[in-house]
Amino acid sequence: MFEYLKRCGIVVNEAGVSGDGFFEENSVVNGVLLSRFFVGAYSLIDKGAYAKNAFIGRFSTIESGSYIGYPSVRPKNFSNHPFSRNLPFAASDDYLNSIKTSRFYLEQNKYTFIGSDVLVCKGAIVQDGVVIGDGAIVQPNSYVVEDVPPYAIVSGSPAVVVGYRFDAATVEKLVCKKWWKYDISPLINSYRDRAIDYYDNPQFMQQIFEGEFDCLEKKVIYLNTAKNIACENVDKNMIVGPSHIERWYTFSQKGAVSKPAGYHLYPIPAMSLFSNQLKNLVSWWAEWFDNILLFVPDFRIGNVAVDMPVKEGRLIKQELVSHENSRKCYDLGVESLEWFAKNPKVKFWFWCLNGREEYNQLNSNYLDDEGKYRHPIWNYSDLLERFKDSTFDIRSYFDSVRPMIVDGSIHPTVNCYEMMSELFPTFEWSKSV
């Protein structure tokens, strides 16, 4: 497995890499990299650095002693001990197990996103869920708890913006250009008879802004240490979704079902539609994949967080379910869908909502005197009309999904996964409904 990475020009610390993710050619991981990840071409995680659930662009450096994905500190938790966050504890006994929460309703182990051309200096800590913009610098021993704008320089604990690498106009041009996606070697080679001074060189930067370059193509290698898989990733489309996608992913790993040709399955169990983490993840994959199919989750997931400043709920807290709470979930969900719909690479698959409607009709719920279905809050037909340019209409492909639903969770059957595996590669992404 790791020998294959070496043959692809990827250097990794075999003892420190564990999880499921992607490497681009010419990336280097000498430190620890765990769980889910992406490491872009020419990026370096130095020896002594630690990264968990970290997504890192190209040409970025994580220096020794840095910690990427540090667990969020929750001052309002009843206790600071792991039991109050439903986390395992090596010396637990019957008493400790009895007072652990049965379910944890706020996000844990969130994904952290580090852009391209970023420098995270020695000893810096980046809290999980943070997004560090392209070109930013995190000064040594800083503790980053909030998102960092592109090309900002942050320092302190907690870290604050102390300046920018360039003036506002230059930063705007750099953000638009994304030079790391292109092969700029022809420009560099044009200086063959003299050295290039990269420091404070407006003339060179102007040539970068105005130049037309070919894309810098790099192989992407998919690694799964649990399954002992290392192979070139040829999938150009990404399916992001909740437990429905987790089941599909698990079944496909076992060989029980197929996955759609050209698609990678990326599950986030108990994923909230209005979570910032989902927005960050979809935005990330839209940078590195051609198309993103969002398997839209139940609108009520994350209902514990509807009145919180940061929408980081997971699961459905049943004791909070009410008309008022559900209405808030719906409004937040629609707001998120509006945000996703601005990206032409993102399309929706309203499996959960459509399946829930059919499940309700089967049980004679929300039917009027004429037997017509109408939910007081969410209805598939309303969302289909509102997001018609961003939606693949389930009812155009299936007369009914009732025979293909396992239970009230609206999880698809194995046969249904096979049908979707054949269907999704036929989608025309230039149009939807």
Side-chain angles (χ1 to χ4, degrees):
M1 177 174 61
F2 290 110
E3 284 298 322
Y4 179 78
L5 295 182
K6 291 179 182 178
R7 292 198 299 271
C8 294
I10 298 167
V11 179
V12 299
N13 166 22
E14 296 181 18
V17 175
S18 177
D20 175 275
F22 301 89
F23 296 99
E24 280 196 315
E25 291 178 294
N26 305 109
S27 54
V28 177
V29 179
N30 288 327
V32 174
L33 180 64
L34 304 177
S35 299
R36 310 181 94 174
F37 52 81
F38 182 102
V39 184
Y42 305 108
S43 284
L44 164 68
I45 300 177
D46 207 354
K47 184 177 180 180
Y50 179 99
K52 182 177 182 180
N53 288 322
F55 296 74
I56 302 168
R58 292 177 170 180
F59 294 93
S60 289
T61 302
I62 313 300
E63 292 189 342
S64 178
S66 298
Y67 192 127
I68 309 299
Y70 189 81
S72 304
V73 177
R74 300 188 184 279
K76 292 187 178 182
N77 245 29
F78 164 70
S79 171
N80 289 317
H81 194 274
F83 87 84
S84 70
R85 289 174 287 145
N86 203 33
L87 297 176
F89 186 69
S92 60
D93 57 12
D94 290 342
Y95 171 71
L96 198 64
N97 289 330
S98 71
I99 62 175
K100 283 175 64 176
T101 55
S102 59
R103 303 183 91 181
F104 195 80
Y105 291 97
L106 296 178
E107 291 172 349
Q108 298 186 90
N109 296 319
K110 294 185 284 188
Y111 303 140
T112 306
F113 299 89
I114 311 292
S116 294
D117 194 29
V118 171
L119 174 60
V120 178
C121 296
K122 292 182 181 294
I125 295 175
V126 180
Q127 186 171 280
D128 65 356
V130 164
V131 178
I132 297 184
D134 297 324
I137 296 176
V138 179
Q139 297 280 33
N141 300 316
S142 299
Y143 179 31
V144 183
V145 298
E146 295 181 343
D147 293 352
V148 177
Y151 290 89
I153 303 169
V154 298
S155 181
S157 181
V160 296
V161 176
V162 296
Y164 286 85
R165 291 174 58 193
F166 307 103
D167 61 76
T170 301
V171 167
E172 184 178 359
K173 291 178 182 178
L174 284 165
V175 168
C176 293
K177 187 64 178 182
K178 297 183 184 293
W179 62 264
W180 46 86
K181 288 193 170 186
Y182 301 97
D183 177 3
I184 62 172
S185 61
L187 173 61
I188 309 303
N189 292 334
S190 71
Y191 284 76
R192 67 173 68 91
D193 56 342
R194 61 195 190 282
I196 302 175
D197 186 356
Y198 289 111
Y199 180 79
D200 195 19
N201 189 334
Q203 179 182 359
F204 174 75
M205 294 185 70
Q206 191 63 33
Q207 289 177 298
I208 291 289
F209 299 147
E210 296 177 354
E212 295 184 5
F213 309 102
D214 294 332
C215 288
L216 181 60
E217 301 289 350
K218 290 292 178 179
K219 287 183 181 179
V220 178
I221 307 303
Y222 171 66
L223 179 76
N224 186 317
T225 57
K227 300 295 183 182
N228 199 34
I229 296 172
C231 61
E232 182 179 355
N233 175 67
V234 296
D235 300 329
K236 299 300 184 181
N237 304 311
M238 179 71 74
I239 301 175
V240 177
S243 57
H244 306 67
I245 303 304
E246 182 184 34
R247 283 166 52 85
W248 198 350
Y249 176 82
T250 300
F251 288 156
S252 68
Q253 290 289 312
K254 294 178 179 178
V257 299
S258 305
K259 73 177 186 68
Y263 286 77
H264 188 82
L265 301 170
Y266 209 87
I268 312 179
M271 176 185 64
S272 171
L273 177 57
F274 47 86
S275 163
N276 287 335
Q277 180 177 203
L278 178 60
K279 291 182 178 179
N280 293 337
L281 185 66
V282 170
S283 295
W284 180 269
W285 290 135
E287 283 286 317
W288 301 99
F289 280 74
D290 290 347
N291 301 296
I292 314 298
L293 182 62
L294 178 58
F295 208 100
V296 181
D298 189 314
F299 279 77
R300 297 169 300 172
I301 294 177
N303 66 345
V304 69
V306 293
D307 294 318
M308 293 180 178
V310 180
K311 311 305 181 195
E312 56 176 20
R314 293 185 82 98
L315 306 166
I316 299 173
K317 196 168 187 177
Q318 292 297 337
E319 54 266 40
L320 290 181
V321 174
S322 66
H323 180 83
E324 180 183 6
N325 180 267
S326 294
R327 169 55 70 177
K328 291 179 179 179
C329 289
Y330 179 73
D331 291 342
L332 287 169
V334 169
E335 182 180 320
S336 294
L337 291 170
E338 294 279 8
W339 187 87
F340 288 125
K342 294 177 183 177
N343 192 325
K345 287 188 172 185
V346 180
K347 301 294 184 185
F348 306 142
W349 185 251
F350 287 104
W351 178 269
C352 298
L353 180 57
N354 179 70
R356 178 68 60 189
E357 284 195 7
E358 293 201 27
Y359 191 78
N360 282 333
Q361 291 179 60
L362 183 65
N363 291 282
S364 300
N365 296 326
Y366 306 109
L367 301 181
D368 60 20
D369 294 338
E370 298 179 354
K372 294 182 179 180
Y373 180 88
R374 184 70 187 176
H375 193 277
I377 300 177
W378 37 65
N379 293 278
Y380 178 73
S381 58
D382 294 348
L383 290 172
L384 183 64
E385 175 61 29
R386 185 166 186 165
F387 299 106
K388 59 184 178 181
D389 293 332
S390 299
T391 302
F392 292 116
D393 181 12
I394 294 173
R395 295 176 184 177
S396 296
Y397 304 99
F398 299 107
D399 293 331
S400 173
V401 302
R402 290 181 195 174
M404 297 180 285
I405 295 174
V406 175
D407 52 29
S409 66
I410 319 298
H411 286 144
T413 63
V414 170
N415 288 338
C416 181
Y417 283 130
E418 288 291 354
M419 293 175 67
M420 288 192 290
S421 290
E422 295 179 5
L423 171 64
F424 288 177
T426 69
F427 284 166
E428 295 184 36
W429 283 87
S430 59
K431 60 182 180 180
S432 47
V433 174

